[in-house]
Structures are given as C-alpha cells and as structure tokens.
C-alpha cells in the first residue's frame, strides 16, 4: 500500500514508461493474436492497460481516459497514444487531487473497503500482471520485446551472453 503520493508517482512513472515502450512495438496485424481461441486478444489486453476511471471513481479522482469497457481501437498506435495520455493525466490528477493523508482514507471500491493507498497499489499490480500476459501474446505474434525487469533473450544475445535457461 502506498502512503506517499511521491512514492507512487516515482514507481508508476517507471512502470508506465515501460508499458508505453512495449505498446509502441505492437503492430496492427498482431492485435487479434490469442493464446487460445477463446482467450483475450493482444489488442484487448493492450487496451485494458489504459488507465480506467472505474477503480479511481470512489476516490473522486478525475482524469482523462477512455470510457470504461469501451471496445479496443483497431489501431495499435491509437492504443499506445491513448495509454500515454491517460497515464500522464492520471499522474497529474493524483498530484493535484490527492494528498498523502488521503491515501489513508477508506472508500468502497468494487464493493470492498479499500484505502486509497491500497487502490494505487492494486492498480499498479493490475497493470504489471496484464503486461506480463501482453508480452506472451507479443512473443507469439513474433513482435520484438524489451526487457522490463531484466534482459530479453534477444538483449542477452546483443550482450554476447547466452540467455539463462
């Protein structure tokens, strides 16, 4: 749980910058990639990463983002640019609309009592979780990847070191 706005901003900035770099690697023709026939598409998951207002509404945060549960655009570039704009708008909203004291305030989120600091933590973990799913679909679609918490197999090769097995 976050107890400082600044701590969240620092951590989220690293994560959203990594997510944005990953989203920029997606091509339109890969948006329909699925692990299984009934699974979520790469496009759906990419769009699902765009910050949603629903988790932040109980805290009263107002920021620019697409409507909840809106269909994913058919353009990977649109998804990436919408993600970037929403992430930056969210940071601005948190900086200007919340205080460190607010993070201890409990609100009802998804029918559960959550402290706002916990909401920020859950939001960040949600993004990292789905970003992991996204990278699997990107790999299956033959798209390049970037290392987020360590080198990819291609980056290991660039370093002249065999990738760990």
């Amino acid at each position: 749980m976050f107890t400082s706005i600044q701590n969240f901003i620092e951590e989220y900035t690293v994560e959203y910058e990594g997510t944005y770099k990953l989203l920029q690697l997606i091509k339109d023709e890969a948006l329909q990639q699925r692990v299984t026939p009934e699974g979520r598409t790469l496009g759906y998951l990419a769009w699902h990463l765009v910050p949603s207002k629903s988790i932040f509404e109980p805290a009263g945060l107002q920021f620019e983002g697409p409507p909840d549960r809106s269909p994913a655009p058919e353009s990977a570039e649109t998804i990436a640019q919408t993600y970037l704009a929403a992430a930056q708008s969210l940071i601005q909203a948190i900086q200007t609309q919340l205080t460190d004291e607010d993070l201890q305030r409990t609100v009802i989120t998804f029918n559960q009592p959550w402290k706002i600091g916990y909401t920020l933590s859950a939001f960040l973990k949600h993004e990292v979780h789905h970003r992991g799913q996204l990278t699997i679909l990107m790999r299956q679609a033959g798209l390049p990847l970037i290392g987020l918490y360590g080198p990819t197999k291609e980056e290991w090769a660039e370093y002249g070191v065999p990738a760990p097995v």
Side-chain angles (χ1 to χ4, degrees):
M1 183 176 97
F2 287 98
T3 57
S4 156
I5 298 292
Q6 187 58 37
N7 186 250
F8 172 79
I9 298 300
E10 289 170 3
E11 194 162 336
Y12 182 55
T13 297
V14 169
E15 297 302 337
Y16 98 74
E17 287 175 350
T19 299
Y20 177 62
K21 287 177 186 174
L22 202 59
L23 292 173
Q24 289 180 296
L25 298 172
I26 298 173
K27 306 295 181 215
D28 291 348
E29 54 273 12
L31 292 175
Q32 296 307 311
Q33 180 70 40
R34 297 173 190 261
V35 171
T36 63
E38 66 280 350
R40 294 174 171 175
T41 66
L42 191 154
Y44 173 90
L45 283 171
W47 188 242
H48 189 61
L49 289 172
V50 177
S52 169
K53 296 177 184 183
S54 64
I55 193 171
F56 295 111
E57 283 177 342
L61 273 177
Q62 300 294 315
F63 66 98
E64 293 299 319
D68 290 336
R69 300 187 185 271
S70 59
E74 295 181 17
S75 161
E77 177 65 22
T78 299
I79 294 171
Q81 292 308 313
T82 305
Y83 172 86
L84 180 62
Q88 291 174 339
S89 180
L90 175 61
I91 286 175
Q92 180 68 24
I94 289 170
Q95 287 176 319
T96 60
Q97 298 171 32
L98 292 178
T99 65
D100 289 347
E101 293 75 29
D102 287 327
L103 301 182
Q104 296 300 320
R105 190 163 41 95
T106 300
V107 294
I108 302 301
T109 304
F110 304 129
N111 295 319
Q112 300 290 318
W114 286 10
K115 290 188 177 192
I116 294 172
Y118 176 78
T119 299
L120 296 178
S121 179
F123 165 76
L124 193 61
K125 290 174 183 176
H126 170 265
E127 177 160 327
V128 171
H129 163 73
H130 287 301
R131 190 175 65 196
Q133 293 175 324
L134 184 77
T135 61
I136 296 298
L137 289 169
M138 289 176 70
R139 178 71 74 192
Q140 285 184 320
L143 296 171
L145 296 177
I146 56 167
L148 295 166
Y149 297 119
T152 64
K153 68 179 185 176
E154 294 83 4
E155 289 169 336
W156 279 113
E158 289 174 16
Y159 304 150
V161 178
V165 179

